Amino acid sequence: MSSLLTRDEYQHLAESLPLPTNAVIDGKARAAQSGDTFETINPATGQVIARIASCGEADVDLAVEKGRLAFESGAWSRAHPSERKRVLRRLVKLMKRNIHELAVLETLESGKPIYDVETIDIPEALHCLEWHAEATDKLYGQTSPSGDDVVSMIVRQPLGVVACVLPWNFPILMLAWKIGPALATGNSVIVKPAGQTNMSTLRIAELAHEAGLPPGVLQVVTGPGGVIGKALGMHADIDMVAFTGSTDVGRKFLEYSARSNLKRVVLECGGKNPCIVLDDAENLDVVAQHVTQAVFWNMGENCSSSSRLIVHEKIKDSLVEVVLHKLREWPLGEPLDPGNRLGAIVSKEQFDRIMGYIKVGRDEGARLVTGGKAYKHGKGYFIEPTIFDDVTPDMTIAREEIFGPVLSVIKVTNADEAVRIANDTEYGLAASIFTANLGKAHRIARDIRAGTVTINCYGEGDTTTPFGGFKLSGFGGRDKSLHAHDQYTELKTIWADISDQKVSRAVD
């Protein structure tokens, strides 16, 4: 699909790219009606990249109006499923042609290593979009077993106007998770990117219209979450909000729905995910590779990050030693250098938050094994990969989502204790289990309260599997899989009486 460029080539591309800075409404790039803008910062340098349109309620109203007009026109909502598939596959092709450009835009704003963006995020996003596109003309309705005198059809119809509110940690991939099923099922979609990461989403919206998506079907409204997010959540003509982000903000969308039109709300929120390693786990080198990937990938800015390593006391020290060895394979530095696996923290605010948790970990008595300091690289926001040992389940770093490169090691004496500690959290997004006993693994997987449980590996499944959480980690539905198609549609029953009985006419 794509071969990596050199650091110098990426840097040259970063310096020469035209930067998308305006909202996309009704197929056109538009400044905010107020004329306001806000700065987008390169977290690797601390410098301003550009100024992005800071939209307000008037811009949201315009986008909703155009989205509703597009939906009612039927240009997309009633288009033949094969036509929707054709346009979405065309978008995938255009994204492939522009993969280096998209990767640079993403890395500049997010601080993500370009190696990850080009080899993981964008390829998975493209596969997601193409998978949902291919499903468009392969999903059938149903008939009910209601007898010979009735034809009862159960059909799906698009909801209407859908708002997708994105996080900053995986901008392109989360965009694909949302718009793939939402567009495939015929909805008009309004995207609100995170304030820190707008440009890759804006560029993809431009490519979508180039691919043939009708005006008003995919729009992007940029601006502060407290303004745009609330306006979308409260709008009476929006039929659904799909949100990925913090649990606190997710709660607000439920409130907005209750206070407005009871719009459908699907939330994918935070996590404090456990990785259980029992004393019969095979090949600690492989286990350590998964543990390291699980907590340090994307600098730990990942809702499914396995930030709690719950490990049997007999092998704890040996496993921690191997994890430390594996860290040598995760060089930290300039995100545009494809040789680096760790980049910058997304913002000064998030940098300060993570460093605050590291201080709390020390203050509460956890033993710092490695890291714990800011990494000096110009004026950027970098943090060394950090491991705490001797962590107890009641410590702050074992209970609250840090969203950074911080691993808490908790020792246990048996599997029952491991499961109890794993479930002792208000979250329930993901979990991992490492053991040679497959029967025990499956029993533990059933007992853990999480939406995705992996055995002898770290992961989130693939496009075919639903992703979302229990408890405070999720609400209302799932991303990925055909289940996502269902949540972006209304289920309708069409009932036809085909009996021979004639309706008698009244005689005057």
Side-chain angles (χ1 to χ4, degrees):
M1 179 185 300
S2 166
S3 57
L4 290 167
L5 305 180
T6 66
R7 181 204 174 280
D8 289 344
E9 287 173 324
Y10 283 124
Q11 186 61 49
H12 175 73
L13 194 56
E15 293 169 354
S16 59
L17 274 178
L19 303 179
T21 58
N22 285 324
V24 177
I25 299 176
D26 198 28
K28 304 179 182 68
R30 296 174 183 259
Q33 294 185 45
S34 65
D36 293 342
T37 61
F38 64 94
E39 295 178 344
T40 183
I41 307 293
N42 183 342
T45 64
Q47 297 177 345
V48 176
I49 306 169
R51 298 194 68 89
I52 307 293
S54 185
C55 296
E57 291 186 20
D59 301 287
V60 171
D61 289 342
L62 178 62
V64 175
E65 177 189 345
K66 298 300 182 181
R68 180 62 62 186
L69 287 172
F71 182 78
E72 297 298 341
S73 76
W76 184 253
S77 59
R78 295 188 183 91
H80 194 282
S82 63
E83 172 62 14
R84 293 202 296 267
K85 179 176 74 171
R86 186 193 68 80
V87 173
L88 290 175
R89 293 192 65 189
R90 172 67 175 159
L91 170 60
V92 170
K93 291 179 181 179
L94 289 173
M95 289 174 64
K96 285 180 181 178
R97 292 178 190 171
N98 293 274
I99 188 170
H100 297 314
E101 173 189 354
L102 291 171
V104 168
L105 290 174
E106 185 110 322
T107 294
L108 284 176
E109 283 194 303
S110 70
K112 294 166 64 74
I114 200 151
Y115 176 89
D116 283 359
V117 179
E118 279 232 24
T119 65
I120 301 174
D121 293 17
I122 296 181
E124 288 195 11
L126 295 174
H127 175 66
C128 175
L129 289 171
E130 192 157 41
W131 191 88
H132 285 293
E134 285 293 347
T136 302
D137 59 359
K138 298 174 179 65
L139 294 178
Y140 292 81
Q142 298 173 308
T143 59
S144 67
S146 298
D148 290 343
D149 291 338
V150 167
V151 174
S152 176
M153 298 181 292
I154 303 167
V155 299
R156 298 180 185 88
Q157 292 184 182
L159 282 168
V161 181
V162 171
C164 297
V165 183
L166 305 181
W168 44 255
N169 56 338
F170 292 94
I172 291 177
L173 185 55
M174 293 302 99
L175 176 69
W177 281 18
K178 304 298 187 192
I179 69 172
L183 290 175
T185 49
N187 295 284
S188 294
V189 180
I190 300 171
V191 178
K192 194 281 177 197
Q196 299 88 340
T197 51
N198 295 273
M199 294 193 297
S200 59
T201 300
L202 290 169
R203 181 64 181 126
I204 289 170
E206 294 174 355
L207 294 175
H209 292 106
E210 184 179 340
L213 213 63
V217 172
L218 178 61
Q219 303 176 96
V220 181
V221 183
T222 53
V227 176
I228 305 302
K230 182 176 181 179
L232 292 168
M234 290 291 295
H235 206 290
D237 206 23
I238 286 182
D239 301 289
M240 174 183 174
V241 171
F243 168 78
T244 295
S246 73
T247 299
D248 288 343
V249 176
R251 290 179 189 272
K252 292 182 179 180
F253 280 108
L254 293 177
E255 295 174 7
Y256 299 151
S257 174
R259 290 165 54 192
S260 57
N261 60 337
L262 287 182
K263 59 177 60 65
R264 187 178 299 181
V265 176
V266 174
L267 307 175
E268 194 268 281
C269 299
K272 191 65 180 175
N273 310 295
C275 174
I276 295 174
V277 184
L278 301 182
D279 58 341
D280 63 348
E282 297 178 321
N283 196 337
L284 290 189
D285 188 73
V286 172
V287 174
Q289 182 176 340
H290 284 280
V291 168
T292 308
Q293 174 80 11
V295 72
F296 297 124
W297 174 41
N298 204 49
M299 296 72 68
E301 297 171 327
N302 180 13
C303 55
S304 63
S305 169
S306 297
S307 58
R308 292 185 295 154
L309 178 58
I310 303 171
V311 57
H312 196 283
E313 60 183 1
K314 289 183 180 179
I315 62 170
K316 176 182 73 71
D317 291 342
S318 297
L319 179 58
V320 170
E321 183 178 344
V322 183
V323 169
L324 287 171
H325 179 76
K326 290 293 180 184
L327 271 179
R328 300 173 187 173
E329 302 171 8
W330 289 75
L332 168 64
E334 167 58 52
L336 285 175
D337 184 344
N340 289 326
R341 295 301 309 280
L342 291 166
I345 304 301
V346 71
S347 66
K348 179 65 163 57
E349 178 185 19
Q350 185 64 16
F351 172 89
D352 290 341
R353 172 184 167 87
I354 297 167
M355 293 302 295
Y357 275 113
I358 291 173
K359 181 180 184 302
V360 168
R362 285 170 165 161
D363 292 345
E364 292 185 354
R367 179 170 63 86
L368 185 65
V369 176
T370 189
K373 300 189 296 294
Y375 176 79
K376 298 300 181 183
H377 182 79
K379 296 182 179 180
Y381 314 130
F382 295 83
I383 296 177
E384 296 175 345
T386 299
I387 300 175
F388 281 104
D389 201 350
D390 299 333
V391 177
T392 58
D394 61 322
M395 289 182 179
T396 302
I397 59 173
R399 304 202 66 81
E400 297 185 12
E401 185 179 35
I402 299 173
F403 226 63
V406 181
L407 176 65
S408 297
V409 182
I410 303 169
K411 70 177 180 181
V412 294
T413 58
N414 55 60
D416 289 341
E417 182 185 8
V419 172
R420 178 179 58 78
I421 292 173
N423 284 333
D424 184 20
T425 174
E426 60 189 1
Y427 297 109
L429 185 59
S432 299
I433 306 160
F434 290 85
T435 174
N437 188 323
L438 194 58
K440 183 186 293 184
H442 279 284
R443 289 193 295 273
I444 292 174
R446 291 180 182 274
D447 289 340
I448 289 178
R449 297 278 296 159
T452 297
V453 181
T454 58
I455 297 174
N456 291 329
C457 64
Y458 164 74
E460 298 174 348
D462 62 13
T463 303
T464 69
T465 57
F467 183 80
F470 292 10
K471 299 186 277 189
L472 295 189
S473 289
F475 177 90
R478 294 290 189 265
D479 285 315
K480 303 193 302 177
S481 83
L482 293 182
H483 293 278
H485 282 245
D486 289 339
Q487 70 196 21
Y488 290 103
T489 59
E490 290 282 16
L491 205 60
K492 174 180 283 188
T493 296
I494 300 176
W495 181 279
D497 185 343
I498 61 170
S499 65
D500 291 334
Q501 181 177 352
K502 305 300 183 182
V503 179
S504 61
R505 295 181 59 189
V507 178
D508 294 336

